[in-house]
Amino acid sequence: MHVYSSNDSRTSALGTIAVGAVLLAIGLNAAFQALGVGPAWLFSPPTVAAAFGLLYRALDTVGWRWSWLHRLGVIQVPVVQGIYEGTLVSSYRQTTVPVRICIDQTWTRIAIRFDVLEPMSSSSYSVAAGLASDGHRRARLTYTYRNQTRPGVAESDMNDHDGTAEVVLDPDTDVLSGRYFNFRGRQGTLTLTRATALSRS
């Protein structure tokens, strides 16, 4: 997975983590003192640092998807994680092929894999990405990718190449649609629907 840019400054979330870390450290230090475990100076700075690290890790991997944090405005990064299946229509001979996009996402990192399914001629992997809300509850994902072809399956004139894709997720329909361009001079459109359910508490 790689880091992605976002219109979420993450400042408010980091501030919330810092406050939570201090409160957690105070509680732990009070417990340590009540149990008579070591001097207070031994636990205070390490406890705050450890609490911050644990809370940051929890938010980055799980908590960032919680809907109540989104409603409070603590987290503003759209959730696009999931597996999407649909079709690609290429400008090359107006070819239509079935495709799948798998998006792994945390609060700060993302990985996008794109597979052509029939025939399984190539796979693409994201190398950089940007994710933002477009103001209408939709998420706009733009990423650059590196495509790897499968010799013997892909067409003889198809080689490994780089490209860019821009897709928009409609949260009401779970439809991911957009377009792509590649350095072979070809382009096309994408229309996919999320095939996996996402649990957001």
Side-chain angles (χ1 to χ4, degrees):
M1 297 179 78
H2 54 82
V3 174
Y4 64 95
S5 63
S6 170
N7 60 351
D8 181 0
S9 69
R10 301 189 173 102
T11 303
S12 61
L14 291 174
T16 302
I17 293 173
V19 171
V22 170
L23 294 176
L24 183 59
I26 290 172
L28 289 174
N29 283 329
F32 291 149
Q33 288 180 0
L35 294 172
V37 181
W41 64 265
L42 180 62
F43 292 100
S44 295
T47 303
V48 173
F52 185 91
L54 289 172
L55 291 175
Y56 182 90
R57 177 68 176 169
L59 185 66
D60 187 46
T61 56
V62 178
W64 72 279
R65 291 182 297 180
W66 294 342
S67 57
W68 63 273
L69 288 178
H70 286 259
R71 287 194 298 270
L72 290 174
V74 175
I75 301 293
Q76 298 174 15
V77 173
V79 180
V80 296
Q81 177 178 328
I83 299 175
Y84 301 81
E85 295 180 348
T87 57
L88 173 153
V89 179
S90 172
S91 62
Y92 178 66
R93 300 178 183 172
Q94 291 301 303
T95 306
T96 300
V97 294
V99 294
R100 177 175 56 225
I101 294 179
C102 299
I103 303 176
D104 291 322
Q105 182 189 10
T106 70
W107 185 41
T108 59
R109 304 179 73 81
I110 199 167
I112 305 152
R113 174 178 169 150
F114 180 91
D115 293 307
V116 175
L117 300 179
E118 294 179 18
M120 297 187 69
S121 58
S122 69
S123 293
S124 300
Y125 304 88
S126 62
V127 294
L131 178 62
S133 171
D134 71 355
H136 299 281
R137 295 188 61 246
R138 298 182 305 175
R140 184 176 302 275
L141 174 64
T142 305
Y143 67 97
T144 58
Y145 63 83
R146 183 160 296 121
N147 179 273
Q148 297 177 339
T149 59
R150 292 186 174 90
V153 179
E155 295 184 11
S156 58
D157 67 338
M158 186 173 178
N159 300 311
D160 292 357
H161 59 272
D162 296 330
T164 301
E166 181 182 56
V167 291
V168 175
L169 174 63
D170 185 336
D172 296 324
T173 61
D174 272 350
V175 171
L176 189 72
S177 60
R179 56 186 180 165
Y180 74 92
F181 309 87
N182 64 40
F183 293 101
R184 302 175 67 221
R186 296 177 183 173
Q187 57 185 306
T189 59
L190 303 163
T191 306
L192 307 97
T193 302
R194 183 146 46 193
T196 58
L198 263 179
S199 59
R200 287 182 63 188
S201 53

